[in-house]
Short mmCIF file of all heavy atoms in Angstrom, two decimals:
data_model
loop_
_atom_site.label_atom_id
_atom_site.label_comp_id
_atom_site.label_asym_id
_atom_site.label_seq_id
_atom_site.Cartn_x
_atom_site.Cartn_y
_atom_site.Cartn_z
N LEU A 145 130.82 87.10 90.15
CA LEU A 145 132.23 87.34 89.87
C LEU A 145 132.50 88.80 89.51
O LEU A 145 133.50 89.38 89.94
CB LEU A 145 132.73 86.41 88.76
CG LEU A 145 132.69 84.91 89.09
CD1 LEU A 145 133.14 84.09 87.90
CD2 LEU A 145 133.49 84.59 90.34
N GLN A 146 131.59 89.39 88.78
CA GLN A 146 131.74 90.80 88.42
C GLN A 146 131.68 91.69 89.67
O GLN A 146 132.47 92.60 89.84
CB GLN A 146 130.66 91.20 87.42
CG GLN A 146 130.86 92.55 86.80
CD GLN A 146 129.90 92.78 85.66
OE1 GLN A 146 128.74 92.36 85.70
NE2 GLN A 146 130.36 93.45 84.62
N LYS A 147 130.74 91.39 90.56
CA LYS A 147 130.62 92.14 91.81
C LYS A 147 131.88 91.98 92.66
O LYS A 147 132.39 92.95 93.22
CB LYS A 147 129.39 91.68 92.59
CG LYS A 147 129.12 92.44 93.87
CD LYS A 147 127.81 91.95 94.50
CE LYS A 147 127.51 92.63 95.81
NZ LYS A 147 127.06 94.01 95.66
N ALA A 148 132.39 90.76 92.74
CA ALA A 148 133.62 90.51 93.51
C ALA A 148 134.80 91.27 92.91
O ALA A 148 135.64 91.80 93.63
CB ALA A 148 133.91 89.01 93.55
N ASN A 149 134.82 91.35 91.59
CA ASN A 149 135.90 92.08 90.92
C ASN A 149 135.83 93.57 91.23
O ASN A 149 136.84 94.20 91.50
CB ASN A 149 135.83 91.83 89.41
CG ASN A 149 136.99 92.45 88.68
OD1 ASN A 149 138.14 92.16 88.96
ND2 ASN A 149 136.69 93.33 87.74
N THR A 150 134.63 94.14 91.20
CA THR A 150 134.50 95.57 91.48
C THR A 150 134.88 95.90 92.92
O THR A 150 135.26 97.02 93.21
CB THR A 150 133.07 96.10 91.20
OG1 THR A 150 132.14 95.41 92.04
CG2 THR A 150 132.68 95.91 89.74
N GLN A 151 134.79 94.90 93.81
CA GLN A 151 135.19 95.11 95.20
C GLN A 151 136.64 94.65 95.44
O GLN A 151 137.07 94.52 96.59
CB GLN A 151 134.23 94.38 96.14
CG GLN A 151 132.83 94.99 96.10
CD GLN A 151 131.90 94.37 97.12
OE1 GLN A 151 132.32 93.75 98.09
NE2 GLN A 151 130.61 94.55 96.90
N ASN A 152 137.35 94.38 94.35
CA ASN A 152 138.75 93.95 94.42
C ASN A 152 138.97 92.69 95.25
O ASN A 152 139.99 92.55 95.91
CB ASN A 152 139.65 95.09 94.91
CG ASN A 152 139.67 96.25 93.95
OD1 ASN A 152 139.79 96.05 92.75
ND2 ASN A 152 139.54 97.45 94.47
N LEU A 153 138.01 91.78 95.20
CA LEU A 153 138.13 90.52 95.92
C LEU A 153 138.78 89.43 95.07
O LEU A 153 139.24 88.42 95.61
CB LEU A 153 136.76 90.04 96.40
CG LEU A 153 136.03 90.95 97.39
CD1 LEU A 153 134.63 90.43 97.66
CD2 LEU A 153 136.83 91.08 98.68
N ILE A 154 138.76 89.63 93.75
CA ILE A 154 139.34 88.63 92.85
C ILE A 154 140.08 89.33 91.71
O ILE A 154 139.87 90.52 91.46
CB ILE A 154 138.26 87.70 92.24
CG1 ILE A 154 137.23 88.51 91.42
CG2 ILE A 154 137.61 86.83 93.29
CD1 ILE A 154 136.29 87.66 90.58
N ASP A 155 140.88 88.54 91.02
CA ASP A 155 141.49 88.95 89.76
C ASP A 155 140.61 88.30 88.68
O ASP A 155 140.73 87.10 88.42
CB ASP A 155 142.93 88.45 89.69
CG ASP A 155 143.64 88.84 88.41
OD1 ASP A 155 142.97 89.23 87.42
OD2 ASP A 155 144.88 88.76 88.40
N LEU A 156 139.70 89.08 88.10
CA LEU A 156 138.69 88.52 87.21
C LEU A 156 139.26 87.69 86.06
O LEU A 156 138.76 86.59 85.82
CB LEU A 156 137.76 89.62 86.69
CG LEU A 156 136.53 89.15 85.90
CD1 LEU A 156 135.67 88.22 86.75
CD2 LEU A 156 135.73 90.33 85.40
N PRO A 157 140.28 88.16 85.33
CA PRO A 157 140.80 87.32 84.25
C PRO A 157 141.28 85.95 84.73
O PRO A 157 141.04 84.93 84.07
CB PRO A 157 141.96 88.14 83.68
CG PRO A 157 141.62 89.56 84.01
CD PRO A 157 140.93 89.48 85.36
N VAL A 158 141.92 85.91 85.89
CA VAL A 158 142.41 84.63 86.43
C VAL A 158 141.24 83.72 86.80
O VAL A 158 141.23 82.53 86.48
CB VAL A 158 143.32 84.88 87.66
CG1 VAL A 158 143.64 83.57 88.38
CG2 VAL A 158 144.60 85.59 87.24
N VAL A 159 140.23 84.29 87.44
CA VAL A 159 139.07 83.49 87.86
C VAL A 159 138.28 83.00 86.64
O VAL A 159 137.84 81.85 86.61
CB VAL A 159 138.18 84.30 88.82
CG1 VAL A 159 136.87 83.57 89.10
CG2 VAL A 159 138.93 84.57 90.13
N LEU A 160 138.12 83.84 85.63
CA LEU A 160 137.42 83.41 84.43
C LEU A 160 138.19 82.30 83.71
O LEU A 160 137.59 81.39 83.14
CB LEU A 160 137.16 84.58 83.49
CG LEU A 160 136.12 85.60 83.98
CD1 LEU A 160 136.00 86.75 82.99
CD2 LEU A 160 134.77 84.95 84.23
N GLN A 161 139.50 82.36 83.77
CA GLN A 161 140.32 81.29 83.19
C GLN A 161 140.07 79.98 83.93
O GLN A 161 139.93 78.92 83.31
CB GLN A 161 141.81 81.67 83.25
CG GLN A 161 142.71 80.71 82.52
CD GLN A 161 142.45 80.69 81.02
OE1 GLN A 161 142.22 81.72 80.41
NE2 GLN A 161 142.46 79.52 80.43
N LYS A 162 139.98 80.04 85.25
CA LYS A 162 139.67 78.83 86.04
C LYS A 162 138.28 78.31 85.67
O LYS A 162 138.09 77.10 85.55
CB LYS A 162 139.73 79.13 87.55
CG LYS A 162 141.12 79.26 88.10
CD LYS A 162 141.15 79.16 89.62
CE LYS A 162 140.57 80.34 90.32
NZ LYS A 162 140.75 80.29 91.79
N LEU A 163 137.35 79.22 85.49
CA LEU A 163 135.98 78.83 85.15
C LEU A 163 135.95 78.10 83.80
O LEU A 163 135.19 77.15 83.63
CB LEU A 163 135.07 80.05 85.13
CG LEU A 163 133.58 79.80 84.93
CD1 LEU A 163 133.02 78.90 86.03
CD2 LEU A 163 132.83 81.12 84.88
N GLN A 164 136.78 78.51 82.89
CA GLN A 164 136.81 77.88 81.57
C GLN A 164 137.38 76.47 81.61
O GLN A 164 137.24 75.73 80.63
CB GLN A 164 137.58 78.76 80.58
CG GLN A 164 136.80 80.02 80.23
CD GLN A 164 137.53 80.90 79.25
OE1 GLN A 164 138.63 81.36 79.53
NE2 GLN A 164 136.92 81.12 78.11
N THR A 165 137.99 76.07 82.71
CA THR A 165 138.47 74.69 82.84
C THR A 165 137.35 73.75 83.28
O THR A 165 137.55 72.54 83.33
CB THR A 165 139.65 74.58 83.84
OG1 THR A 165 139.17 74.88 85.15
CG2 THR A 165 140.79 75.50 83.45
N THR A 166 136.19 74.32 83.63
CA THR A 166 135.03 73.51 84.00
C THR A 166 134.12 73.36 82.79
O THR A 166 134.45 73.83 81.70
CB THR A 166 134.25 74.18 85.16
OG1 THR A 166 133.57 75.34 84.65
CG2 THR A 166 135.16 74.55 86.31
N ASN A 167 132.97 72.77 82.99
CA ASN A 167 132.01 72.64 81.88
C ASN A 167 130.99 73.77 81.87
O ASN A 167 129.94 73.65 81.25
CB ASN A 167 131.33 71.27 81.91
CG ASN A 167 130.48 71.06 83.16
OD1 ASN A 167 130.50 71.86 84.08
ND2 ASN A 167 129.74 69.97 83.18
N PHE A 168 131.29 74.88 82.54
CA PHE A 168 130.41 76.06 82.52
C PHE A 168 130.35 76.59 81.10
O PHE A 168 131.37 76.78 80.45
CB PHE A 168 130.95 77.14 83.48
CG PHE A 168 130.05 78.34 83.60
CD1 PHE A 168 128.93 78.29 84.40
CD2 PHE A 168 130.35 79.52 82.93
CE1 PHE A 168 128.10 79.38 84.52
CE2 PHE A 168 129.53 80.63 83.05
CZ PHE A 168 128.39 80.56 83.85
N ARG A 169 129.13 76.84 80.62
CA ARG A 169 128.95 77.32 79.26
C ARG A 169 128.65 78.81 79.26
O ARG A 169 127.74 79.28 79.95
CB ARG A 169 127.81 76.56 78.58
CG ARG A 169 128.12 75.10 78.36
CD ARG A 169 127.05 74.40 77.56
NE ARG A 169 125.72 74.57 78.12
CZ ARG A 169 125.08 73.66 78.86
NH1 ARG A 169 125.66 72.53 79.13
NH2 ARG A 169 123.88 73.89 79.31
N VAL A 170 129.45 79.53 78.47
CA VAL A 170 129.27 80.97 78.33
C VAL A 170 129.79 81.37 76.95
O VAL A 170 130.76 80.78 76.46
CB VAL A 170 129.98 81.75 79.46
CG1 VAL A 170 131.47 81.53 79.45
CG2 VAL A 170 129.64 83.22 79.42
N THR A 171 129.14 82.34 76.36
CA THR A 171 129.59 82.77 75.04
C THR A 171 130.88 83.57 75.16
O THR A 171 131.06 84.32 76.12
CB THR A 171 128.53 83.64 74.34
OG1 THR A 171 128.33 84.83 75.11
CG2 THR A 171 127.21 82.90 74.17
N PRO A 172 131.77 83.42 74.20
CA PRO A 172 133.01 84.20 74.22
C PRO A 172 132.76 85.71 74.26
O PRO A 172 133.49 86.44 74.92
CB PRO A 172 133.72 83.78 72.93
CG PRO A 172 133.18 82.42 72.63
CD PRO A 172 131.75 82.45 73.10
N SER A 173 131.70 86.16 73.60
CA SER A 173 131.40 87.60 73.60
C SER A 173 131.03 88.09 75.00
O SER A 173 131.40 89.21 75.40
CB SER A 173 130.30 87.94 72.61
OG SER A 173 129.10 87.26 72.94
N LEU A 174 130.33 87.28 75.76
CA LEU A 174 129.98 87.68 77.13
C LEU A 174 131.24 87.73 78.00
O LEU A 174 131.41 88.66 78.79
CB LEU A 174 128.95 86.71 77.74
CG LEU A 174 128.48 87.01 79.15
CD1 LEU A 174 127.96 88.45 79.28
CD2 LEU A 174 127.41 86.04 79.58
N LEU A 175 132.12 86.77 77.83
CA LEU A 175 133.39 86.80 78.57
C LEU A 175 134.18 88.06 78.24
O LEU A 175 134.72 88.72 79.14
CB LEU A 175 134.23 85.57 78.28
CG LEU A 175 133.83 84.27 78.98
CD1 LEU A 175 134.77 83.14 78.58
CD2 LEU A 175 133.80 84.45 80.48
N ARG A 176 134.25 88.39 76.96
CA ARG A 176 134.98 89.60 76.55
C ARG A 176 134.36 90.84 77.17
O ARG A 176 135.07 91.72 77.64
CB ARG A 176 135.01 89.73 75.03
CG ARG A 176 136.05 88.84 74.36
CD ARG A 176 136.23 89.18 72.89
NE ARG A 176 135.01 89.10 72.11
CZ ARG A 176 134.54 87.97 71.55
NH1 ARG A 176 135.20 86.84 71.69
NH2 ARG A 176 133.43 88.00 70.86
N SER A 177 133.04 90.90 77.18
CA SER A 177 132.38 92.09 77.75
C SER A 177 132.64 92.21 79.26
O SER A 177 132.76 93.32 79.77
CB SER A 177 130.88 92.09 77.45
OG SER A 177 130.22 91.09 78.20
#
Side-chain angles (χ1 to χ4, degrees):
L145 296 178
Q146 190 170 37
K147 183 176 178 74
N149 185 58
T150 61
Q151 294 185 19
N152 295 315
L153 297 174
I154 60 169
D155 180 344
L156 189 58
V158 170
V159 172
L160 290 178
Q161 187 65 40
K162 285 196 289 187
L163 186 59
Q164 289 180 300
T165 67
T166 71
N167 64 352
F168 185 78
R169 293 186 306 260
V170 62
T171 63
S173 61
L174 181 53
L175 282 180
R176 280 191 303 275
S177 71

